[in-house]
Amino acid sequence: MSHTAFAPHDHSRCIADTIAAAETHCAAHKLRLTPVRRRVLEILLGAHRAMGAYDILAQIGSEGLGSQPPVIYRALDFLTGIGFVHRIEKLNAYVACTDPRPGHAPAFMICRACDAVAETPGAPGRGALDAAAAQAGFRIERAVIEAEGLCPDCDAATRADAPDLPM
Amino acid sequence: MSHTAFAPHDHSRCIADTIAAAETHCAAHKLRLTPVRRRVLEILLGAHRAMGAYDILAQIGSEGLGSQPPVIYRALDFLTGIGFVHRIEKLNAYVACTDPRPGHAPAFMICRACDAVAETPGAPGRGALDAAAAQAGFRIERAVIEAEGLCPDCDAATRADAPDLPM
DNA sequence: CCCGTTATGTTATATAGTAACCATATGAGG
DNA sequence: CCTCATATGGTTACTATATAACATAACGGG
């Protein structure tokens, strides 16, 4: 469930479910979820936040898989291509998709304090963006929508420190 | 103003007007539009598309201004800080603001064929994004909204080559 | 089993951004 | 005018992110 990334949940279950979904997807499309690709997805699912490509690379390298940049970028290209990983442009980082439905184009909420990343359900504001583009004669192929701010926990912690902030 | 970047317009005029606005803004806020800063803004206004930091740097370097990376990043930090330049996260590049009103947070339309970048008027979809964030308890501080696709001209050119594309 | 395709391994390099330090210029106050 | 505090610019060195190009290995259909 995309909007629950900020809330507690059964983590090992959400990893297993998504890996299973990726297996199914690859089988159905004659694609190969190779060891490197699978492990990268597992690592991102386990982290449950955005990770830099080189952070992931260091981890798979320490496990005996490839340790050179092209290895991780190829795996990330594959996983983003099938929609199980998203790139966060604002962070030059990557995050596992929490709701891998075909063709969805979510918006992201990025906590600047704890680096948690949550997807919004649906594609909020996409209608208004499409309308603005149509007005300009622009044909949208992809949209990047990333909100940076404070997640519920970090927002509460900030307020506890400085209780006179605006709402 | 902002939504006309894809349309023909008096270019030298829009450069002069924006430079003048920057002068006024800096005078009013006791900031200094130094030669480097001014020239960077002029270059971006003249290009009328997103440019990489190092592209701008090469140009100012060839004109006798600084030629090392910190020079350009400092100028870009200043100009983005006062809102006359925007960073395009998707491209790791920078573009002059075409409608420098205080505090505006526009969306961008990026042509993947010709690299033109236009701002949308207002902040389309911001309401829906705010609503989704509120639902999740997330406090938005900044939002990145960038649409990639084809500008009117390039879209028309593509269609001329392959007239059976979907609308 | 062979062969074409796909994936991985490896080297080298391109591109983007920052830290740290010193020099210079500017403007406020004496 | 002088001097001091601060803002800005110059320079070196470095970190972080990403890709090009080419060789090797694995898979999967004939």
Side-chain angles (χ1 to χ4, degrees), chain B residues 23-92:
Chain B
E23 301 262 29
T24 302
H25 175 93
C26 288
H29 293 78
K30 298 194 188 299
L31 300 169
R32 287 157 60 194
L33 190 65
T34 61
V36 172
R37 292 169 176 176
R38 182 192 183 105
R39 189 69 193 117
V40 169
L41 180 55
E42 286 173 357
I43 288 169
L44 281 172
L45 284 164
H48 223 303
R49 58 189 174 78
M51 293 180 72
Y54 281 70
D55 294 335
I56 307 168
L57 179 60
Q59 186 157 348
I60 66 170
S62 75
E63 296 170 2
L65 297 167
S67 60
Q68 298 304 318
V71 172
I72 189 64
Y73 284 106
R74 286 191 288 232
L76 289 169
D77 284 350
F78 176 83
L79 293 167
T80 55
I82 64 174
F84 281 74
V85 167
H86 300 293
R87 177 179 163 84
I88 306 295
E89 299 291 340
K90 176 91 188 174
L91 303 177
N92 292 338

Side-chain angles (χ1 to χ4, degrees), chain B residues 6 9 18 27 109 123 140:
Chain B
F6 291 147
H9 57 283
T18 305
M109 296 176 286
I140 295 181

Side-chain angles (χ1 to χ4, degrees), chain A residues 1 3 6 8 10 16 27 33 35 41 45 49 51 54-55 66 70 79 86 93 102 104 117 119 121 129 149 152 158:
Chain A
M1 299 299 298
H3 53 298
F6 291 145
D10 183 340
L33 191 64
L41 181 54
L45 284 164
R49 58 188 176 77
M51 293 180 72
Y54 281 70
D55 294 334
L79 293 168
H86 301 293
H104 80 142
V117 174
E119 299 182 22
L129 186 56
T158 301

Side-chain angles (χ1 to χ4, degrees), chain A residues 6 89-90 109-110 112 124-125 128 136-139 141-152 155 159 166-167, chain B residues 6 90 109-110 112 124-125 128 136-139 141-152 155 159 166-167:
Chain A
F6 291 145
E89 299 290 343
K90 176 91 188 174
M109 296 176 286
I110 307 164
R112 69 169 160 79
F138 187 86
R139 171 178 302 268
E141 293 171 341
R142 271 169 300 174
V144 174
I145 303 179
E146 297 172 355
E148 189 183 31
L150 291 174
C151 74
D155 190 27
R159 276 157 198 295
M167 283 298 292
Chain B
F6 291 147
K90 176 91 188 174
M109 296 176 286
I110 307 164
R112 66 168 162 80
F138 186 87
R139 171 179 302 270
E141 293 171 344
R142 271 170 299 173
V144 174
I145 303 180
E146 298 172 355
E148 189 183 32
L150 290 174
C151 75
D155 189 30
R159 275 156 200 295
M167 282 299 290

